[in-house]
């Protein structure tokens, strides 16, 4: 008898650091190693390498359900987000918030919202449901109290789209590019977070 194929799982990681050898990218690689160790397919997207223009707020996607104002890399990214069962979103903290490219990415998810044209209060997500998400931020400051805005900026839009944020990680006290490589504890933590995310997909 031919065995039933086991389900294929896919996790996409969104790295929003604008610099090379970034701490966010290194931690993303660690997380994805953990995800991969559980037999899950992974892909990392570095937003700095994409063509992504800011949302024009033209509201055209309310009728077209896709962005026709910009023909850039967001259309393919939305296809990938729909296909993935899990996401990892990582952003360095810039001015107590996510980076500008992460904000552009989050705004450009607007076509994934349906609003009833007769009554805007009636709305639902057009993103397939049950997606599991891990979010994290990296910053120079040591105190965890400063990361709230950056984490909220990623968590709230994803929850509005029906995603479940299963874990949040903060890497504080890192300034120079690549500095996280000197901290085995944070690298191990990132790897474990990846394993946990992969396991959450299969529950
Ligand atoms: C424009 C800019 C703004 C920043 N704002 C903050 C901040 O508000 N708080 C903080 O702790 N670090 C801040 N940083 C430092 C970065 O968060 C830190 O260098 C981090 O390690 C960068 O991560 P990356 O290597 O992944 O880019 C800022 C850096 C830049 C370039």
């Amino acid at each position: 008898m031919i065995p039933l194929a086991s389900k294929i799982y896919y996790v996409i990681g969104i790295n929003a650091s604008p610099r090379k050898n970034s701490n966010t990218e290194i931690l993303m690689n660690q997380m994805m190693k953990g995800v991969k160790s559980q037999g899950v397919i992974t892909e990392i997207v570095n937003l700095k390498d994409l063509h992504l223009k800011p949302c024009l707020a033209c509201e055209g996607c309310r009728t077209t359900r896709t962005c026709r104002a910009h023909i850039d890399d967001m259309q393919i990214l939305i296809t990938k987000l729909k296909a993935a069962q899990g996401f990892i979103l990582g952003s360095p903290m810039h001015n107590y918030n996510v980076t500008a490219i992460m904000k552009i990415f989050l705004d450009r998810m607007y076509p994934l919202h349906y609003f009833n044209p007769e009554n805007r209060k009636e709305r639902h997500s057009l993103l397939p449901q049950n997606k599991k998400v891990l979010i994290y931020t990296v910053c120079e400051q040591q105190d965890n109290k400063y990361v709230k805005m950056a984490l909220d900026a990623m968590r709230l839009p994803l929850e509005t789209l029906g995603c479940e944020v299963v874990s949040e990680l903060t890497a504080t006290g890192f300034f120079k590019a690549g500095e996280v490589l000197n901290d085995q504890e944070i690298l191990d933590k990132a790897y474990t977070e990846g394993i946990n995310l992969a396991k959450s997909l299969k529950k």
Side-chain angles (χ1 to χ4, degrees), residues 15 17-25 91-97 138-142 174-179:
N15 163 31
S17 172
R19 70 176 171 182
K20 279 188 194 159
N21 188 31
S22 88
N23 295 313
T24 308
E25 185 178 1
S91 177
M93 202 163 85
H94 280 189
N95 287 305
Y96 303 92
N97 211 321
V138 183
C139 65
E140 179 183 5
Q141 280 159 294
Q142 291 282 357
F174 299 102
F175 171 62
K176 289 187 194 150
E179 226 179 6

Side-chain angles (χ1 to χ4, degrees), residues 10-182:
Y10 162 51
V11 169
I12 185 163
I14 307 292
N15 163 31
S17 172
R19 70 176 171 182
K20 279 188 194 159
N21 188 31
S22 88
N23 295 313
T24 308
E25 185 178 1
I26 292 163
L27 291 178
M28 178 70 79
N29 289 336
Q30 279 295 107
M31 287 172 180
M32 285 305 197
K33 271 188 206 162
V35 173
K36 249 189 215 166
S37 75
Q38 303 303 301
V40 171
I41 295 168
T42 63
E43 180 176 5
I44 297 174
V45 173
N46 298 308
L47 293 180
K48 72 176 169 54
D49 299 331
L50 302 188
H51 294 289
L52 286 186
K53 292 188 192 135
C55 173
L56 292 179
C58 66
E59 300 288 337
C61 62
R62 299 280 65 82
T63 43
T64 57
R65 299 216 174 158
T66 184
C67 179
R68 298 257 164 87
H70 298 308
I71 305 301
D72 57 14
D73 289 324
M74 196 61 198
Q75 281 77 10
I76 183 79
L77 207 44
I78 283 189
T79 307
K80 287 171 188 260
L81 293 169
K82 283 182 174 170
Q85 290 89 359
F87 311 151
I88 303 180
L89 261 62
S91 177
M93 202 163 85
H94 280 189
N95 287 305
Y96 303 92
N97 211 321
V98 291
T99 57
I101 39 174
M102 174 58 86
K103 182 62 168 55
I104 288 175
F105 164 77
L106 292 165
D107 286 350
R108 290 290 304 280
M109 289 173 88
Y110 199 42
L112 292 169
H113 294 271
Y114 169 79
F115 295 92
N116 180 346
E118 312 298 326
N119 176 7
R120 239 186 99 78
K121 284 184 185 154
E122 271 176 37
R123 56 160 305 278
H124 62 259
S125 171
L126 297 170
L127 189 68
Q129 297 296 282
N130 298 320
K131 298 195 189 283
K132 304 291 188 333
V133 182
L134 165 58
I135 58 174
Y136 68 101
T137 188
V138 183
C139 65
E140 179 183 5
Q141 280 159 294
Q142 291 282 357
D143 200 324
N144 248 339
K145 74 179 180 193
Y146 296 114
V147 303
K148 186 180 180 307
M149 197 151 62
L151 292 174
D152 281 354
M154 293 183 277
R155 187 194 328 101
L156 297 173
L158 291 171
E159 285 180 347
T160 306
L161 284 169
C163 300
E164 183 190 347
V165 177
V166 292
S167 193
E168 301 183 5
L169 178 79
T170 57
T172 57
F174 299 102
F175 171 62
K176 289 187 194 150
E179 226 179 6
V180 285
L181 284 171
N182 304 326

